[in-house]
Amino acid sequence: RVHGGIGSNWQRDIMKRKAQTKTKAVDRVELASSRTMSRFTASLPLFAIIPLAGFIVVAFLLVQRWTPPASMPLPHSSLSSSSTLQDHIPIYQVEIVRKLSHDGNSFTQGLLFDGKGRMFESSGRYGESSVREVDLETGQVLRSQRNPPQYFAEGLAEFHNKLLQLTWRENTAFIHDKENLQLLQTIRWPLEGWGVVYDGQQFITSDGSSFLSFVDPSNFTVTKRLLVTDHNGNAIRHLNELELIGDEIWANVFLTDYIARINPNTGRVSSWVHVPGLDKGPVLIPSEAFLNGIAYSQATKKIYVTGKLWHYLYEVRLREPPIMSRTGPILRR
């Protein structure tokens, strides 16, 4: 036991000396480095020191910009008016206000309210296409006008107390009298027909691509094409049924439960509306029963959605706050 104690003291003394030696060595290295740096900077001319200092300041600012503080608030409403790319985008869920009846035989391709609060619908499919006025509360078809069997009806827009009804691949559109739905004129349409709205000056239409086209109502020629992109600059394909709500165009994205809210001046999607899992009823062809119908009533400021062959129409409102997403919805490319 005595020998062990002496050994322990001897070992501690050796370790202490080693530590002191390392400390002195480090001090000598640091002193040498300091002297070297001092000599280096002293030997540098002034014109070399100034750019070096500027580089250090710029590097510091870049690091600060690249790593913002975790408490920085995420952008919300500013996204809708900004033309720059954003880190996050709002995705709104919907709250069901009312569940109403809808004709389950209607292959909904266009849906709208006129200024008097009356609801009109364009129903598609070859041999079954029609334009109709529908009672909102009961879903009953009040009047209907069948289209010729060789046409597949698509989007619907109101203009000058008339209804413009597109067809899919026939490069044809029909103009109907809004009061009795009688056919007034058949015109050549310059695009494949999907969705359409009228903003008071021109038609804005989709053709299943990533573009919105602007069509002159006086001669039905395309005056502008606008690429629609998300907050990351990715093109949004399969734009379908359209509705004008405020200063935005709302567009169903074909085969999805998402609605894009588009700035018609820039083509940028300002936010998304997600409408998943709504009861469609006993649909005849489930594989075709997709969300495809947005209608906004100017009279009541209410939003309605439905889908192809759905037995129900829903009054919905957006749920606040939205989910802030970095990627946005995952859509078919």
Side-chain angles (χ1 to χ4, degrees):
R1 283 193 288 270
V2 175
H3 177 75
I6 292 173
S8 298
N9 292 334
W10 176 79
Q11 290 176 350
R12 282 195 295 270
D13 185 56
I14 292 297
M15 295 300 293
K16 183 176 180 181
R17 290 181 183 179
K18 287 183 177 180
Q20 290 174 347
T21 302
K22 288 182 178 180
T23 301
K24 291 178 180 178
V26 170
D27 291 341
R28 285 197 297 270
V29 171
E30 291 179 349
L31 179 59
S33 299
S34 177
R35 288 175 178 173
T36 301
M37 182 59 69
S38 298
R39 290 170 184 166
F40 172 72
T41 54
S43 64
L44 283 175
L46 183 61
F47 68 82
I49 294 175
I50 292 175
L52 180 62
F55 173 78
I56 294 172
V57 171
V58 170
F60 173 78
L61 292 176
L62 286 175
V63 169
Q64 290 296 102
R65 183 175 180 83
W66 184 255
T67 56
S71 60
M72 180 179 289
L74 297 175
H76 284 265
S77 59
S78 62
L79 285 168
S80 61
S81 59
S82 174
S83 61
T84 60
L85 298 183
Q86 302 291 340
D87 290 336
H88 293 75
I89 190 166
I91 300 179
Y92 288 90
Q93 305 296 319
V94 298
E95 177 182 342
I96 298 174
V97 180
R98 286 199 299 167
K99 181 179 181 180
L100 303 163
S101 294
H102 179 254
D103 179 10
N105 292 311
S106 176
F107 201 76
T108 307
Q109 300 289 66
L111 192 68
L112 63 84
F113 286 94
D114 71 357
K116 299 178 182 179
R118 297 180 298 179
M119 188 168 73
F120 295 87
E121 183 173 5
S122 174
S123 176
R125 306 182 88 177
Y126 289 110
E128 301 177 14
S129 292
S130 68
V131 60
R132 53 187 55 189
E133 182 182 351
V134 181
D135 183 84
L136 171 64
E137 299 299 325
T138 66
Q140 179 183 355
V141 177
L142 300 177
R143 58 182 60 85
S144 178
Q145 177 69 38
R146 294 290 293 267
N147 301 120
Q150 68 270 29
Y151 294 102
F152 190 120
E154 287 281 347
L156 190 69
E158 179 196 11
F159 77 111
H160 305 317
N161 207 39
K162 303 172 186 176
L163 295 174
L164 174 80
Q165 184 186 29
L166 304 186
T167 63
W168 183 19
R169 293 176 170 172
E170 291 74 42
N171 291 111
T172 300
F174 302 116
I175 297 177
H176 300 271
D177 186 305
K178 192 179 68 173
E179 299 306 319
N180 55 28
L181 303 183
Q182 293 300 308
L183 180 64
L184 299 176
Q185 189 178 358
T186 300
I187 62 171
R188 176 171 176 76
W189 190 253
L191 301 160
E192 186 170 300
W194 285 52
V196 63
V197 294
Y198 182 66
D199 68 357
Q201 296 182 332
Q202 58 201 332
F203 294 110
I204 305 173
T205 183
S206 62
D207 58 8
S209 70
S210 302
F211 288 87
L212 293 177
S213 298
F214 295 72
V215 177
D216 187 334
S218 65
N219 55 20
F220 303 103
T221 59
V222 176
T223 60
K224 183 174 71 171
R225 294 265 286 172
L226 182 67
L227 178 65
V228 176
T229 60
D230 66 10
H231 65 300
N232 289 318
N234 300 312
I236 303 301
R237 296 176 59 199
H238 310 300
L239 300 174
N240 201 358
E241 209 267 337
L242 306 178
E243 179 63 295
L244 188 64
I245 302 181
D247 58 357
E248 294 180 325
I249 293 176
W250 288 35
N252 282 116
V253 179
F254 184 49
L255 302 179
T256 77
D257 292 326
Y258 284 96
I259 297 170
R261 297 172 65 179
I262 304 166
N263 183 325
N265 297 314
T266 65
R268 182 64 49 78
V269 175
S270 61
S271 64
W272 293 92
V273 179
H274 192 202
V275 192
L278 295 183
D279 181 14
K280 306 170 186 177
V283 295
L284 297 175
I285 310 174
S287 61
E288 296 185 3
F290 290 102
L291 177 74
N292 196 49
I294 313 165
Y296 177 69
S297 172
Q298 288 283 357
T300 63
K301 311 301 181 186
K302 295 177 179 179
I303 301 170
Y304 297 84
V305 298
T306 189
K308 302 174 184 180
L309 306 175
W310 287 22
H311 287 257
Y312 301 109
L313 172 82
Y314 293 90
E315 178 190 339
V316 299
R317 58 174 168 241
L318 302 187
R319 184 179 298 162
E320 296 280 1
I323 298 169
M324 301 303 296
S325 170
R326 184 175 294 275
T327 61
I330 305 301
L331 304 174
R332 296 170 63 246
R333 298 296 183 189

